[in-house]
Amino acid sequence: MHVKQIVGNVSDLIYHLCNDPACKIEVPERLTVSHEALVRTGLAARCVSIAVREATDEEILLVHSEEYLEAVKKTPYMTLEDLMAFTQQYGDVYFHPNIYHCAKLAVGATLQLVDSVMTGRVRNGIALVRPPGHHSQKSAASGFCIFNNVAIGARYAMVLIVDWDVHHGQGVQYCFEDDPNVLYFSWHRYEHQNFWPNLRESDYDSVGKEKGAGFNINVPWNKVGMENSDYLAVFFHVLLPVAYEFCPDLVLVSAGFDSAIGDPEGKMCATPDIFAHLTHLLMNLAGGKLCAVLEGGYNLTSLAQSVCQTVQTLLGDPAPLPADLGGPCESVLKSIHCVRSAHKQYWSCLKYTGTTSPCLLMIVSFISQ
Ligand SMILES: [Zn+2]
């Protein structure tokens, strides 16, 4: 359909700017349902709201190139034809005329939260923002992401970034792969490189480069349907031991909830209450300085429930008993073993990797109930 046939409907506009039905899932309702659920459950009333602001050019340039920023700045003034042409340079993303403004607010909101946590004004928090950030790169938009909110937020000395979104945040990896001050952990649907963004460097053996070797941890999900016990097993046997050894000053979470059950992108089976446990486990790091920043999550029901579970835990409520805890599946045990082996030379907590048997992993997971 030609752009001139577009009527004022935002979803239609998104569809045409993107040329891909997949883009129809990154919709404004993702924020409204999450916020409404927080209000309905009384969680919003227990939170301190922090005023949002636009990020400055200097802040955006901490991660992005001047050429890219200047190009994005022109998008509000482009014709729809030009916007479509601009969009087509990148993968799985669309440029709405308002997106530069929204992307500046998403970065600014992330920075307001990080500043509030680092100065002790609040203990922790979540930034509910659109567009998300973790796929965007120095000079490129990607996967609904314009500016890399979390990467820009990682300006402090020793930062742990936990990316529990179901996609690999390759943009974050590229930003910090040679930086030993930022430990980036991402688990992601991979299926032996058959899932987007289909990158060789999303596999477990991309451990970081030069001084940053050992500070990039990728855990590939090589099948769909991962459950709560698979997520917990990766936390217990990969992320947490390394995170404690790293000892961060701040924890940033690329909080994508497309890793929850019912999501059309993730196709995983972990229930929303697992995010209460993941949040709780991370709150013991960095003196509890934790900032979660929304990334993906396209099933509006499990998205809103998962946001509530995360916020409830940040507020100090006890986590519910995780549903359906069995043991981790064979595929996850293999991934855990590969990741630990790839990183054993960098972390003393992984030194004895190779002796870990699947039985031990199952027992530990069982005890965690
Ligand atoms: Zn995602």
Side-chain angles (χ1 to χ4, degrees), residues 134-135 165-167 258 296-298:
H134 72 151
H135 297 302
D165 188 281
V166 87
H167 298 94
D258 42 13
Y298 307 101

Side-chain angles (χ1 to χ4, degrees), residues 56-348:
T56 63
D57 284 5
E58 290 69 35
E59 288 164 342
I60 293 167
L61 292 171
L62 288 170
V63 160
H64 298 284
S65 69
E66 208 152 348
E67 300 69 37
Y68 175 63
L69 173 59
E70 291 308 315
V72 176
K73 270 185 188 177
K74 292 188 182 117
T75 57
Y77 312 104
M78 289 181 184
T79 63
L80 285 179
E81 284 87 347
D82 289 345
L83 269 180
M84 283 181 78
F86 187 71
T87 289
Q88 277 157 14
Q89 297 175 64
Y90 306 109
D92 301 278
V93 70
Y94 59 86
F95 281 84
H96 185 276
N98 287 338
I99 207 159
Y100 172 54
H101 179 63
C102 294
K104 273 196 295 187
L105 288 175
V107 175
T110 303
L111 294 178
Q112 289 286 81
L113 174 60
V114 170
D115 285 337
S116 302
V117 168
M118 290 307 287
T119 56
R121 185 179 163 209
V122 294
R123 184 166 180 227
N124 56 35
I126 186 166
L128 294 175
V129 298
R130 289 180 60 244
H134 72 151
H135 297 302
S136 70
Q137 297 150 43
K138 188 176 178 197
S139 297
S142 172
F144 307 149
C145 302
I146 311 301
F147 298 138
N148 203 316
N149 308 317
V150 163
I152 296 170
R155 301 174 301 168
Y156 293 90
M158 300 283 279
V159 178
L160 165 66
I161 301 176
V162 178
D163 189 335
W164 70 41
D165 188 281
V166 87
H167 298 94
H168 182 212
Q170 83 279 33
V172 182
Q173 174 170 316
Y174 297 152
C175 281
F176 300 116
E177 57 195 344
D178 57 358
D179 185 347
N181 291 318
V182 177
L183 171 60
Y184 178 59
F185 166 92
S186 174
W187 64 31
H188 37 266
R189 186 173 165 192
Y190 190 58
E191 295 173 286
H192 305 283
Q193 215 178 318
N194 286 309
F195 187 68
W196 191 89
N198 311 90
L199 299 169
R200 173 67 188 85
E201 61 267 32
S202 302
D203 211 351
Y204 67 87
D205 53 355
S206 287
V207 297
K209 292 176 177 167
E210 296 155 25
K211 277 192 202 152
F215 295 88
N216 189 82
I217 303 178
N218 287 332
V219 180
W221 302 126
N222 283 319
K223 66 179 195 62
V224 295
M226 294 300 170
E227 298 181 355
N228 292 344
S229 44
D230 299 308
Y231 286 16
L232 287 177
V234 171
F235 256 53
F236 290 142
H237 298 289
V238 177
L239 174 62
L240 293 176
V242 175
Y244 275 93
E245 193 173 327
F246 178 68
C247 200
D249 297 323
L250 171 69
V251 179
L252 291 175
V253 180
S254 270
F257 297 103
D258 42 13
S259 45
I261 193 164
D263 192 276
E265 285 285 298
K267 298 195 166 38
M268 297 300 172
C269 294
T271 52
D273 55 357
I274 201 62
F275 296 102
H277 291 272
L278 303 185
T279 304
H280 186 244
L281 290 166
L282 295 176
M283 283 167 70
N284 292 311
L285 291 156
K289 293 191 190 70
L290 186 155
C291 301
V293 181
L294 185 67
E295 301 280 5
Y298 307 101
N299 175 312
L300 298 181
T301 306
S302 76
L303 168 66
Q305 287 172 358
S306 303
V307 166
C308 286
Q309 289 286 343
T310 304
V311 170
Q312 201 167 295
T313 307
L314 289 174
L315 286 165
D317 289 356
L321 194 66
D324 307 323
L325 267 198
C329 68
E330 268 306 312
S331 172
V332 163
L333 291 176
K334 264 189 212 150
S335 292
I336 289 174
H337 182 75
C338 290
V339 178
R340 287 177 58 107
S341 300
H343 280 274
K344 66 192 277 193
Q345 60 176 306
Y346 306 110
W347 300 98
S348 54

